[in-house]
Amino acid sequence: MREKREPEQITGLRRLKAFTHPLRMQLYRLLFAAGTATASQLADQVGQAPSLVSYHLRTLAEHGFVTGASGRGADGRERWWQVATEEGWGFRSSDFAATPEGAAVAGALTRGIFETRASQYRAYLDRSASWGGAWTDAAFSSEWLLDLTPAELAEMSEEFNAVARRWRDRGQAAGAAEDREHVSVHLYGFPFRP
């Protein structure tokens, strides 16, 4: 069982920069969903050589994003990986805005994460009919246009995080079930001017 804690806020540019590689983002996401996996298993999913995947997993481990999964691998030749914490991590763009490099890295990472999420949603839309009526009726996409202060938006973010954690914990407590699937929930909250 992974250690439970609050999401870590990353403030070091070197560490944040290590996550900007698209393959690392993809591997972290797959590993988070799988729970544990080997470099070979992940390589099959991303269509890359196990040695390349292993290199990127070691880089993620060096920066504290993933760790070795203890108690896996009977012969000791295969290394199993897991994310370092199921609470995940985050960063504030404002922590990196003071330098051009910091702003560029934070922006690149934010765009990369968004592109990964958008790609995942597009893949669902392309195959939605294959999920059947129960899943397509349950899936949702919503947009609300609200008038908030920065403090209210931050409070709403905390409420959404609490709701998501409660549902994640509920799913983990229920264990494997025939009709239980991985579900991706994307919520965005940002200011805009019409």
Side-chain angles (χ1 to χ4, degrees):
M1 181 68 148
R2 289 174 262 181
E3 176 186 352
K4 289 191 178 199
R5 59 183 183 184
E6 289 298 311
E8 179 184 4
Q9 288 297 310
I10 295 175
T11 57
L13 181 60
R14 185 171 176 266
R15 187 166 181 218
L16 192 69
K17 194 174 189 177
F19 202 82
T20 60
H21 193 285
L23 182 56
R24 290 182 196 146
M25 286 185 211
Q26 188 178 13
L27 293 171
Y28 181 87
R29 203 170 178 75
L30 289 169
L31 197 53
F32 201 99
T36 60
T38 65
S40 294
Q41 291 168 336
L42 293 169
D44 288 342
Q45 293 181 55
V46 298
Q48 297 290 336
S51 59
L52 179 65
V53 169
S54 183
Y55 166 78
H56 285 293
L57 287 169
R58 287 191 311 273
T59 301
L60 287 170
E62 177 186 332
H63 293 283
F65 294 108
V66 303
T67 186
S70 59
R72 299 297 306 253
D75 61 8
R77 290 185 297 164
E78 59 185 0
R79 185 164 184 190
W80 287 79
W81 297 91
Q82 66 184 25
V83 296
T85 172
E86 59 190 32
E87 291 301 327
W89 55 272
F91 69 96
R92 291 182 188 89
S93 294
S94 61
D95 289 341
F96 300 94
T99 67
E101 182 185 15
V105 168
L109 181 55
T110 302
R111 283 187 298 282
I113 290 169
F114 172 76
E115 290 301 325
T116 299
R117 291 173 181 164
S119 176
Q120 183 183 27
Y121 189 55
R122 278 191 295 272
Y124 163 74
L125 293 174
D126 290 345
R127 296 186 301 267
S128 62
S130 67
W131 282 100
W135 281 106
T136 56
D137 289 347
F140 65 91
S141 173
S142 299
E143 179 180 14
W144 304 277
L145 301 179
L146 311 170
D147 293 321
L148 303 172
T149 67
E152 290 168 337
L153 181 58
E155 183 181 345
M156 186 172 67
S157 173
E158 287 301 315
E159 289 179 20
F160 280 135
N161 285 328
V163 167
R165 280 191 293 271
R166 188 180 80 233
W167 281 99
R168 183 205 55 216
D169 293 346
R170 180 177 170 173
Q172 288 175 342
E178 188 173 309
D179 61 345
R180 190 171 298 280
E181 297 284 350
H182 293 296
V183 173
S184 187
V185 178
H186 302 179
L187 298 171
Y188 299 96
F190 53 90
F192 75 101
R193 291 188 177 112

